[in-house]
Amino acid sequence: MGKKVTLGLIGLGGRGIGLLKTVFLHHEDVEFAVVCDVYEDRCQEAAELIEKSGRPRPQTTLDYKDILKMEHVDAVILCTSWENHLNLAIEFMEAGKYVGCEVGGAYTVQECWKIVEAYERTRVPVMLLENCVYGRDEMMVYHMSEMGVLGTIVHCEGGYKHDLRDEVAFGRENRHYRLDNYIHRNTENYPTHELGPIAKVLHINRGNRMLTLTAMASRAAGMKEYIKNNKADDEVLMNTEFRQGDVVNTIITCANGETILLTLDTTLPRYYSRGFTVQGTKGMYFEDNQSLFIDGEEHAKDHFEWKKHWGNVEEYREKYEHPVWKKYMAEGIKEGHGGMDWLVFCDFVESVQNQSEAPIDVYDLAAWMSISALAEQSIALGGQPVAIPDFTNGMWLRRK
Ligand SMILES: NC(=O)c1ccc[n+]([C@@H]2O[C@H](COP(=O)([O-])OP(=O)(O)OC[C@H]3O[C@@H](n4cnc5c(N)ncnc54)[C@H](O)[C@@H]3O)[C@@H](O)[C@H]2O)c1
């Protein structure tokens, strides 16, 4: 057991409550002093969960500003809707509270700069709680890439390929923020699950940086058809036009010459995938069939008959499993999204305990989240390239 950390939890929808149940309440070093949501029923549900776990019942509040003044709160976790992440994070950093911020995309580049400036002014860290960076295969492939097994990395792909038609269509009933975004915006609205692990492989902000992007969106037909077939009694939605294209492709170029393809695919029938793909001069990894193709190995003779090697990543676990996952598997704890929620939370708690820099820091957060604002511009301009700011102001050249 380490030093106790006193937390405030803000945003008690699906994610906030889900994390409490599967992760937060299993960690010995944390206490929740306060929970907050604009909805009273959600505050009460969270407080009850915490109390039932044998911990003291936390305070509840509908106004996050109350927490700014609570001196005993060391850090806050923001599980709010996308449009509230960065302004809340900045206010808490100004109040001296370490921030753990759930994922999402930014709406403007200015807000990304503002959070970087808030950090540089206050030196209070913010950690983007990007759990997918801690995925088992993502970490193994990162480890292999660091060992040089895949050679010089040339191209990476990733996606958020998740059928969210019901979540979007029932947004009003479920008091969920996604619906309004899908009606009014057209962009790569959820870039960090896929970009996070890729940015680690490519050392973005640490010797490399993202330079430009170009984004294009397909037509928006999925939601309209889904609503016609599943919610025809909803007169308002039946007459609503959705701006969000069903499939959005964004190509990013990097200072060291690599390209990254991100695909958002959330309003058509499909299986779930983050499509994580890493290609180098010596081999590649492909998430959809969990396979590794390594030049010179016996399996590489079968490049035309690849199906029989699907799933061969298991053959490489022993040799290339990331040490973090080796330890985690040995300890036998498995919580939240197959373990990655637990691992990202443990890193957050440790950083708060040590008051150390966040492993996914403000520069990562700004660069990764800015992709949504920039892709929106590029799509609106017919796919024109737009520049990705250097939020490190040149420090990427030397940062480790
Ligand atoms: N990392 C992951 O795997 C993962 C999974 C699901 C969701 N998420 C992220 O978690 C966040 C929340 O998602 P969700 O599905 O729970 O959404 P949700 O809409 O169900 O919950 C968001 C909650 O935040 C509250 N909220 C918004 N503004 C607030 C404010 N100013 N003060 C207090 N409360 C406020 C809302 O009332 C709502 O209850 C999003 O950023 C989402 O992208 C991450």
Side-chain angles (χ1 to χ4, degrees), residues 14-15 37 42 82 84-85 102-103 131 176-177 190 337:
R15 185 62 173 164
D37 199 288
R42 293 186 174 177
W82 297 336
N84 288 304
H85 287 330
E102 255 305 343
V103 301
N131 47 349
H176 200 272
Y177 59 87
Y190 212 50
H337 282 141

